[in-house]
Amino acid sequence: MNNTSTRTVQGGGSGGANGPLVEMKGITKRFGGLTALNNVDLDVGYSEVVGLVGDNGAGKSTLISILAGALRQNDGKIYFKGEEVDIHNPEGAKKLGIETVYQDLALADNIDVAGNLFLGREEYRFSLGPVKFLAKGEMEERAREILEVLNIGFDSMRTKVRNLSGGQRQAIAVARSIFTEPDLVILDEPTAALAVEESNRVLKLIEDLQGQGISVIFISHTLQEVFSTADRIVVLNQGNKVGDLQPEETDVDHVVKLMIGGRYESTARG
Ligand SMILES: Nc1ncnc2c1ncn2[C@@H]1O[C@H](COP(=O)(O)OP(=O)(O)OP(=O)(O)O)[C@@H](O)[C@H]1O
Ligand SMILES: [Mg+2]
């Protein structure tokens, strides 16, 4: 049975340490004449996994891109740890502790596992004028540590990424995202291209992130995996938030109806 009461709207940014990690409030995004997001609120709690669902074009990627600093909202505010923040670009988001794994993982095929984990932030042993020497051993060691934290086993750090499976590549991208010890990892359709077993491994990774105290926003079109992984499910429908539900109080059929219908419902706390 579904509780259909509307979720109470809280005052912005009053959360502080006891409130959510992230509060997006009244986010509106227009692309020319198209309103991709219309006055959308999104909260993410500490160590919470939020599943973000909606049909193609519902606005999921647009919403997380605003949080990731890849897009700017036309209207609305973002609070992080209770403070209003202005996220100008991806670097700004990373600095706050928000890491994003986009669907096109941007891994370098011809570089090995360790190299991909450190892509763009290679550690140098020393430099000789303009020539820098990578601290290969130290990079491998740190890479191994990160993979261990996430329970990812690779026989060799020197395996070229082009020889890995889709699930292993996804795991590398996730592992890379926690290098900076973020508070929030955003995963935009991490299982879209994966077989069932590989998807399950990625879902396990999400649990491991949560176990590390990291909050996760997880986008997927596979509602079964969202139900098994998320603490809360947020539903978008043509740029509007139409649901904010706890998985145990709803079911797949109901969420599908919200995705294609259009009535706001909530069983979430608060
Ligand atoms: N850069 C852009 N320029 C113009 N329109 C855009 C842009 N990005 C997204 N849109 C439009 O905004 C709407 C929301 O797109 P968005 O990519 O956020 O949807 P989505 O929920 O992620 O869909 P999918 O499940 O297909 O990935 C769509 O109508 C899309 O065409
Ligand atoms: Mg998308």
Side-chain angles (χ1 to χ4, degrees), residues 21-46:
L21 174 68
V22 175
E23 289 179 272
M24 299 179 85
K25 290 226 164 276
I27 302 293
T28 293
K29 176 67 185 176
R30 286 179 287 270
F31 294 109
L34 176 98
T35 302
L37 293 171
N38 177 32
N39 197 26
V40 171
D41 294 346
L42 178 74
D43 288 2
V44 184
Y46 287 87

Short mmCIF file of all heavy atoms in Angstrom, two decimals, residues 21-46:
data_model
loop_
_atom_site.label_atom_id
_atom_site.label_comp_id
_atom_site.label_asym_id
_atom_site.label_seq_id
_atom_site.Cartn_x
_atom_site.Cartn_y
_atom_site.Cartn_z
N LEU A 21 23.34 15.82 3.34
CA LEU A 21 24.63 16.21 2.77
C LEU A 21 24.42 17.24 1.67
O LEU A 21 25.07 18.27 1.62
CB LEU A 21 25.34 14.97 2.20
CG LEU A 21 26.63 15.21 1.43
CD1 LEU A 21 27.73 15.69 2.37
CD2 LEU A 21 27.06 13.95 0.69
N VAL A 22 23.47 16.93 0.79
CA VAL A 22 23.17 17.80 -0.35
C VAL A 22 21.70 18.17 -0.35
O VAL A 22 20.85 17.32 -0.09
CB VAL A 22 23.45 17.08 -1.69
CG1 VAL A 22 23.03 17.95 -2.88
CG2 VAL A 22 24.90 16.67 -1.81
N GLU A 23 21.41 19.44 -0.59
CA GLU A 23 20.03 19.87 -0.84
C GLU A 23 20.04 20.71 -2.11
O GLU A 23 20.68 21.75 -2.15
CB GLU A 23 19.52 20.77 0.29
CG GLU A 23 19.25 20.10 1.61
CD GLU A 23 18.77 21.13 2.63
OE1 GLU A 23 19.63 21.73 3.31
OE2 GLU A 23 17.55 21.33 2.74
N MET A 24 19.33 20.21 -3.13
CA MET A 24 19.10 21.03 -4.32
C MET A 24 17.68 21.53 -4.18
O MET A 24 16.76 20.75 -3.93
CB MET A 24 19.27 20.21 -5.59
CG MET A 24 20.67 19.63 -5.75
SD MET A 24 20.85 18.62 -7.26
CE MET A 24 21.23 19.89 -8.49
N LYS A 25 17.49 22.84 -4.33
CA LYS A 25 16.17 23.43 -4.07
C LYS A 25 15.70 24.24 -5.26
O LYS A 25 16.37 25.17 -5.69
CB LYS A 25 16.26 24.36 -2.85
CG LYS A 25 16.48 23.62 -1.57
CD LYS A 25 15.55 24.15 -0.48
CE LYS A 25 15.47 23.19 0.67
NZ LYS A 25 14.51 22.11 0.48
N GLY A 26 14.54 23.88 -5.76
CA GLY A 26 13.89 24.66 -6.82
C GLY A 26 14.74 24.80 -8.07
O GLY A 26 14.79 25.86 -8.68
N ILE A 27 15.39 23.70 -8.47
CA ILE A 27 16.29 23.77 -9.62
C ILE A 27 15.49 23.80 -10.93
O ILE A 27 14.68 22.91 -11.21
CB ILE A 27 17.26 22.56 -9.66
CG1 ILE A 27 18.09 22.49 -8.37
CG2 ILE A 27 18.14 22.63 -10.91
CD1 ILE A 27 19.08 23.62 -8.17
N THR A 28 15.71 24.85 -11.70
CA THR A 28 15.12 24.98 -13.02
C THR A 28 16.24 25.13 -14.04
O THR A 28 17.21 25.85 -13.81
CB THR A 28 14.17 26.20 -13.08
OG1 THR A 28 13.04 25.94 -12.22
CG2 THR A 28 13.66 26.44 -14.50
N LYS A 29 16.13 24.36 -15.13
CA LYS A 29 17.12 24.46 -16.20
C LYS A 29 16.42 24.49 -17.55
O LYS A 29 15.60 23.62 -17.85
CB LYS A 29 18.08 23.25 -16.15
CG LYS A 29 19.08 23.21 -17.29
CD LYS A 29 20.09 24.34 -17.23
CE LYS A 29 21.01 24.33 -18.44
NZ LYS A 29 21.94 25.49 -18.41
N ARG A 30 16.71 25.52 -18.30
CA ARG A 30 16.13 25.64 -19.64
C ARG A 30 17.22 25.53 -20.69
O ARG A 30 18.32 26.05 -20.51
CB ARG A 30 15.41 27.00 -19.78
CG ARG A 30 14.09 27.07 -19.03
CD ARG A 30 13.42 28.43 -19.19
NE ARG A 30 14.11 29.46 -18.42
CZ ARG A 30 13.82 29.80 -17.15
NH1 ARG A 30 12.83 29.20 -16.52
NH2 ARG A 30 14.51 30.74 -16.54
N PHE A 31 16.92 24.83 -21.76
CA PHE A 31 17.77 24.85 -22.95
C PHE A 31 16.97 25.55 -24.03
O PHE A 31 16.07 24.95 -24.61
CB PHE A 31 18.11 23.42 -23.40
CG PHE A 31 18.96 22.64 -22.43
CD1 PHE A 31 18.42 21.59 -21.70
CD2 PHE A 31 20.31 22.94 -22.26
CE1 PHE A 31 19.20 20.85 -20.82
CE2 PHE A 31 21.10 22.21 -21.38
CZ PHE A 31 20.54 21.17 -20.66
N GLY A 32 17.23 26.81 -24.28
CA GLY A 32 16.41 27.56 -25.22
C GLY A 32 14.97 27.56 -24.73
O GLY A 32 14.70 27.88 -23.58
N GLY A 33 14.05 27.10 -25.57
CA GLY A 33 12.63 27.07 -25.20
C GLY A 33 12.22 25.84 -24.40
O GLY A 33 11.10 25.75 -23.92
N LEU A 34 13.16 24.90 -24.25
CA LEU A 34 12.82 23.64 -23.56
C LEU A 34 13.14 23.72 -22.07
O LEU A 34 14.25 24.08 -21.69
CB LEU A 34 13.63 22.49 -24.19
CG LEU A 34 13.45 21.14 -23.51
CD1 LEU A 34 12.43 20.30 -24.25
CD2 LEU A 34 14.77 20.41 -23.40
N THR A 35 12.16 23.41 -21.23
CA THR A 35 12.43 23.36 -19.79
C THR A 35 12.79 21.93 -19.42
O THR A 35 11.93 21.06 -19.33
CB THR A 35 11.19 23.84 -19.00
OG1 THR A 35 10.89 25.17 -19.42
CG2 THR A 35 11.48 23.85 -17.50
N ALA A 36 14.09 21.69 -19.23
CA ALA A 36 14.57 20.33 -18.93
C ALA A 36 14.31 19.98 -17.47
O ALA A 36 14.11 18.81 -17.13
CB ALA A 36 16.04 20.22 -19.26
N LEU A 37 14.34 20.99 -16.59
CA LEU A 37 14.05 20.79 -15.17
C LEU A 37 13.18 21.93 -14.69
O LEU A 37 13.47 23.09 -14.97
CB LEU A 37 15.34 20.76 -14.33
CG LEU A 37 16.29 19.60 -14.55
CD1 LEU A 37 17.61 19.85 -13.83
CD2 LEU A 37 15.68 18.28 -14.10
N ASN A 38 12.12 21.59 -13.99
CA ASN A 38 11.16 22.59 -13.55
C ASN A 38 11.04 22.55 -12.03
O ASN A 38 10.35 21.69 -11.48
CB ASN A 38 9.80 22.31 -14.22
CG ASN A 38 8.73 23.26 -13.76
OD1 ASN A 38 9.02 24.42 -13.44
ND2 ASN A 38 7.51 22.77 -13.70
N ASN A 39 11.78 23.44 -11.35
CA ASN A 39 11.59 23.62 -9.91
C ASN A 39 11.77 22.32 -9.12
O ASN A 39 10.95 21.95 -8.29
CB ASN A 39 10.18 24.20 -9.68
CG ASN A 39 10.02 24.81 -8.30
OD1 ASN A 39 11.01 25.25 -7.70
ND2 ASN A 39 8.81 24.81 -7.79
N VAL A 40 12.88 21.64 -9.39
CA VAL A 40 13.12 20.32 -8.81
C VAL A 40 13.93 20.42 -7.51
O VAL A 40 14.92 21.14 -7.43
CB VAL A 40 13.87 19.41 -9.82
CG1 VAL A 40 14.33 18.12 -9.17
CG2 VAL A 40 12.98 19.12 -11.03
N ASP A 41 13.48 19.69 -6.49
CA ASP A 41 14.22 19.54 -5.23
C ASP A 41 14.85 18.16 -5.17
O ASP A 41 14.22 17.18 -5.55
CB ASP A 41 13.28 19.64 -4.02
CG ASP A 41 12.66 21.01 -3.87
OD1 ASP A 41 13.12 21.97 -4.52
OD2 ASP A 41 11.69 21.11 -3.08
N LEU A 42 16.08 18.08 -4.69
CA LEU A 42 16.70 16.77 -4.48
C LEU A 42 17.57 16.83 -3.22
O LEU A 42 18.43 17.69 -3.11
CB LEU A 42 17.57 16.38 -5.69
CG LEU A 42 18.31 15.05 -5.53
CD1 LEU A 42 17.37 13.87 -5.67
CD2 LEU A 42 19.44 14.92 -6.55
N ASP A 43 17.30 15.93 -2.29
CA ASP A 43 18.13 15.79 -1.09
C ASP A 43 18.91 14.50 -1.18
O ASP A 43 18.41 13.51 -1.67
CB ASP A 43 17.26 15.66 0.17
CG ASP A 43 16.58 16.95 0.55
OD1 ASP A 43 16.75 17.94 -0.16
OD2 ASP A 43 15.87 16.94 1.58
N VAL A 44 20.12 14.53 -0.65
CA VAL A 44 20.89 13.30 -0.47
C VAL A 44 21.44 13.30 0.94
O VAL A 44 22.14 14.24 1.34
CB VAL A 44 22.07 13.20 -1.47
CG1 VAL A 44 22.77 11.85 -1.31
CG2 VAL A 44 21.59 13.38 -2.90
N GLY A 45 21.11 12.27 1.72
CA GLY A 45 21.59 12.19 3.09
C GLY A 45 23.02 11.68 3.17
O GLY A 45 23.57 11.20 2.18
N TYR A 46 23.61 11.77 4.34
CA TYR A 46 24.95 11.20 4.56
C TYR A 46 24.87 9.68 4.43
O TYR A 46 23.97 9.05 4.98
CB TYR A 46 25.47 11.59 5.95
CG TYR A 46 25.86 13.04 6.05
CD1 TYR A 46 24.93 14.02 6.38
CD2 TYR A 46 27.17 13.43 5.79
CE1 TYR A 46 25.30 15.36 6.47
CE2 TYR A 46 27.55 14.76 5.87
CZ TYR A 46 26.61 15.72 6.21
OH TYR A 46 26.97 17.03 6.28
#
